[in-house]
Amino acid sequence: MTESVIPVLREMRWWDIEPVLELEKDLFPEDAWSRGMFWSDLAHARGAEATRRYLVATEGERIVGYAGLAANADIADVQTIAVARDHWGTGLGGRLLTELLRAATSFECAEVMLECRVDNVRAQKLYERFGFEPIGFRRGYYQPGNVDALVMRRTDPSTSVQGTETHG
């Protein structure tokens, strides 16, 4: 019997971009982020003036998940959350989201927004468990597939929500 390894969460750095891009292209083939998009956000993730928080989940040398948040004044936006297919259902997405909510709190944000593909029911259920509520749609948001986005919001990211305690 093999003992399961719990992925370690750490700050994303520039040397993580290439393996993150591989995972991004596997999970989001139609609308994957570009190398430049990750570089741009990471440029704002360190130092006293930081407005971004990006994490990777590693299992040994392998990146099995990543997440990012951008803060602007008192509103934070979940930019991305992704978990390798072989780690779906393990609670890793919840762990990443918990860290993003902690980052939103440290940035003193009063609310957290996100967009989610309307056809990504798995992600929508995760966000709902964490207290996000649907507030609207963005038509044709995901290109080139012209897929609509469900806009969701959570107020006061510093408060605990039922179901946010994750175990591995």
Side-chain angles (χ1 to χ4, degrees):
M1 186 168 156
T2 307
E3 195 172 317
S4 65
V5 177
I6 297 174
V8 174
L9 303 186
R10 65 168 173 76
E11 177 186 13
M12 184 188 292
R13 300 300 304 272
W14 64 266
W15 52 81
D16 297 317
I17 292 176
E18 290 307 315
V20 162
L21 281 173
E22 290 177 26
L23 190 53
E24 176 83 1
K25 289 173 187 168
D26 175 54
L27 296 170
F28 311 111
E30 287 185 6
D31 46 22
W33 277 31
S34 69
R35 180 177 289 104
M37 291 168 78
F38 281 107
W39 271 104
S40 177
D41 269 13
L42 287 183
H44 300 283
R46 303 199 84 201
E49 302 297 314
T51 58
R52 307 286 191 276
R53 175 80 167 124
Y54 275 76
L55 308 161
V56 291
T58 61
E59 197 172 73
E61 296 296 312
R62 180 178 170 226
I63 291 177
V64 295
Y66 57 91
L69 178 110
N72 185 7
D74 65 345
I75 298 174
D77 284 291
V78 173
Q79 300 293 295
T80 186
I81 292 184
V83 173
R85 294 176 198 278
D86 62 337
H87 282 69
W88 286 3
T90 65
L92 181 55
R95 288 180 59 209
L96 288 164
L97 184 53
T98 296
E99 289 304 312
L100 294 185
L101 293 173
R102 285 187 180 130
T105 299
S106 70
F107 284 130
E108 300 180 353
C109 295
E111 61 184 23
V112 180
M113 307 287 292
L114 61 83
E115 292 88 17
C116 180
R117 287 176 65 109
V118 294
D119 57 0
N120 191 344
V121 176
R122 172 186 288 275
Q124 290 171 35
K125 287 182 179 181
L126 170 69
Y127 299 137
E128 287 171 359
R129 280 199 325 268
F130 277 75
F132 284 86
E133 297 177 343
I135 61 168
F137 294 94
R138 295 191 198 280
R139 302 284 175 211
Y141 183 80
Y142 293 98
Q143 295 296 329
N146 201 37
V147 177
D148 295 344
L150 175 64
V151 180
M152 302 181 83
R153 175 179 60 201
R154 175 178 167 171
T155 55
D156 196 358
S158 66
T159 60
S160 178
V161 171
Q162 184 71 17
T164 61
E165 297 302 314
T166 58
H167 303 89

